[in-house]
């Protein structure tokens, strides 16, 4: 079993004293420390959003996945994603983020696979998202298709 696979399954923890990783765990609990989430979003340079709105968005999301690096009793938020849904056919994934220190190691892929598993377990078959231009290939690798059959995303913003 590979090093990262062991981390994700929690079968074994690393004993490498230079490593910043201990054990990677996922949670679908909505009781998220909003300040920790804000720190994570700050770390990737996202604009700050009012915490009361972030709290509301999380409360009203269909599914929330947090990814933690857990060491003994301490766990540190290193990844996050959430999805909204009509609870029957469609879901849209939002706010996919992995802390820069943990990027490029398969964490984003594991996070996406986890949220897709959660949605598939609820029999949601149409999963969409809005990709920033620099991450289109990240989502393509996970099986997402841009503009299927020419369908285009359209947006309306207040003037
Ligand atoms: C996008 C993001 C979640 C990817 O997480 P990550 O942990 O670095 O991704 P992974 O290591 O799991 O990468 C999985 C695969 O996608 C590829 N990949 C990762 N980021 C990529 C990118 N920006 N463009 C193209 N491919 C990318 C990896 O090379 C890897 O390929 P492989 O399976 O062939 O080895 C992370 O970079 C991030 O949080 N970015 C800042 C926030 C952001 O832009 N979120 C998306 C908003 S739409």
């Amino acid at each position: 079993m590979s090093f990262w696979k062991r981390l994700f399954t929690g079968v074994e923890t690393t004993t490498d004293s230079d490593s910043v990783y201990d054990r990677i765990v996922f949670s679908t609990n909505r009781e998220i420390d909003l300040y920790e989430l804000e720190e994570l979003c700050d770390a990737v340079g996202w604009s700050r959003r009012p915490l009361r709105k972030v709290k509301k968005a999380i409360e009203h999301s269909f599914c929330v996945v947090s990814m933690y690096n857990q060491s003994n009793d301490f766990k540190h938020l290193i990844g996050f994603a959430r999805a909204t849904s009509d609870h029957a056919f469609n879901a849209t994934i939002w706010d996919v983020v992995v802390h820069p220190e943990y990027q490029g190691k398969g964490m984003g892929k594991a996070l996406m696979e986890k949220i897709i598993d959660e949605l598939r377990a609820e029999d949601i078959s149409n999963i969409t998202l809005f990709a920033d231009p620099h991450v289109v290939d990240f989502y393509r690798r996970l099986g997402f298709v841009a503009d299927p059959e020419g369908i285009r995303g359209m947006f309306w913003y207040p003037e």
Side-chain angles (χ1 to χ4, degrees):
M1 198 188 296
S2 74
F3 174 75
W4 289 107
K5 180 96 174 177
R6 285 199 301 270
L7 284 180
F8 288 128
T9 54
V11 170
E12 197 174 294
T13 55
T14 175
T15 53
D16 178 358
S17 57
D18 292 333
S19 175
V20 291
Y21 314 110
D22 206 333
R23 191 162 69 103
I24 305 300
V25 291
F26 290 103
S27 169
T28 54
N29 192 324
R30 282 152 211 266
E31 301 298 310
I32 294 160
D33 181 331
L34 294 179
Y35 294 101
E36 207 180 3
L37 179 59
E38 189 173 61
E39 271 179 33
L40 174 61
C41 296
D42 282 351
V44 296
W46 281 354
S47 307
R48 285 207 169 175
R49 300 176 294 187
L51 286 188
R52 65 178 173 81
K53 290 191 108 180
V54 174
K55 182 170 183 280
K56 197 170 178 183
I58 289 171
E59 279 168 6
H60 290 275
S61 290
F62 179 67
C63 168
V64 171
V65 175
S66 307
M67 186 166 62
Y68 293 92
N69 183 13
Q70 181 156 13
S71 169
N72 299 322
D73 289 340
F74 180 76
K75 58 179 188 165
H76 175 53
L77 183 68
I78 61 161
F80 179 82
R82 67 184 180 92
T84 50
S85 175
D86 60 11
H87 295 220
F89 305 106
N90 304 291
T92 304
I93 297 175
W94 306 93
D95 300 341
V96 178
V97 57
V98 171
H99 192 284
E101 280 178 24
Y102 296 82
Q103 288 177 12
K105 301 175 190 314
M107 302 279 182
K109 183 178 178 193
L111 179 67
M112 286 297 296
E113 286 174 348
K114 174 69 177 166
I115 198 164
I116 290 167
D117 279 355
E118 293 291 322
L119 295 172
R120 293 296 297 128
E122 297 294 332
D123 203 23
I124 302 290
S125 52
N126 190 29
I127 302 175
T128 52
L129 52 77
F130 300 94
D132 286 344
H134 65 284
V135 288
V136 167
D137 284 342
F138 166 70
Y139 292 121
R140 273 212 181 97
R141 282 181 162 86
L142 289 159
F144 285 85
V145 179
D147 303 339
E149 297 173 34
I151 296 168
R152 308 292 293 268
M154 295 180 74
F155 298 76
W156 181 92
Y157 296 110
E159 301 274 326

